[in-house]
């Protein structure tokens, strides 16, 4: 579908049907969870918010660094994609371990002032 021109009238319908088939297969087949539940996917899930937050910034930084060099289009893109994915994951993982995880631990603390507020109502 990506090879068709953007103005092709049935493209969005076919894409929607394709994603519907994928989603329905994931929902209806419990065996797929065994494949998707592994250590690598769990670590990526932990870092997913950081990936979302930092990816654009990392791409901009890598591009500004690569612009100092005279590189062919293919080499530039190869370095851009490789470095962006690698550094985004490293920063997102670091952010999860040292920033997000401490806040997630605070969520499970039994705060006594919450009980007082709830009983006064």
């Amino acid at each position: 579908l990506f090879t068709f021109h953007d103005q092709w009238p049935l493209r969005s319908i076919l894409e929607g049907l394709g994603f519907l088939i994928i989603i329905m297969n994931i929902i209806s087949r419990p065996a797929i969870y065994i494949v998707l539940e592994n250590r690598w996917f769990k670590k990526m899930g932990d870092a997913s918010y950081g990936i979302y937050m930092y990816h654009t910034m990392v791409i901009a930084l890598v591009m500004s660094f690569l612009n100092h060099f005279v590189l062919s289009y293919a080499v530039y893109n190869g370095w851009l994609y490789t470095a962006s994915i690698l550094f985004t994951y490293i920063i997102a993982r670091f952010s999860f371990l040292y920033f997000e995880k401490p806040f997630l631990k605070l969520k499970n603390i039994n705060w006594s002032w919450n009980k007082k507020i709830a009983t006064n109502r």
Side-chain angles (χ1 to χ4, degrees):
L1 289 174
F2 293 116
T3 61
F4 292 117
H5 192 268
D6 287 336
Q7 301 301 322
W8 192 58
L10 298 177
R11 178 181 175 171
S12 60
I13 294 171
L14 287 176
E15 285 177 349
L17 287 173
F19 285 117
L20 176 67
I21 291 168
I22 291 170
I23 291 169
M24 293 304 289
N25 274 315
I26 290 173
I27 291 170
S28 64
R29 296 181 184 198
I32 196 98
Y33 293 115
I34 296 169
V35 175
L36 295 176
E37 289 291 326
N38 60 47
R39 197 173 85 188
W40 189 80
F41 278 139
K42 286 184 184 267
K43 285 189 176 192
M44 288 297 287
D46 289 343
S48 64
Y49 182 70
I51 291 170
Y52 165 74
M53 291 298 295
Y54 301 119
H55 191 60
T56 304
M57 179 182 63
V58 170
I59 289 173
L61 291 171
V62 170
M63 286 176 73
S64 67
F65 176 75
L66 289 176
N67 285 337
H68 295 319
F69 304 99
V70 178
L71 302 170
S72 71
Y73 183 74
V75 173
Y76 181 88
N77 280 328
W79 277 107
L80 175 64
Y81 292 129
T82 304
S84 296
I85 292 169
L86 180 68
F87 289 134
T88 299
Y89 180 74
I90 290 170
I91 292 170
R93 190 74 184 144
F94 181 83
S95 172
F96 174 75
L97 292 174
Y98 299 107
F99 186 70
E100 295 170 43
K101 201 171 184 180
F103 282 105
L104 291 173
K105 287 180 182 178
L106 289 175
K107 181 174 74 170
N108 297 326
I109 293 176
N110 191 0
W111 298 94
S112 61
W113 60 272
N114 285 336
K115 288 182 184 177
K116 291 177 185 175
I117 292 172
T119 57
N120 290 334
R121 289 185 184 179

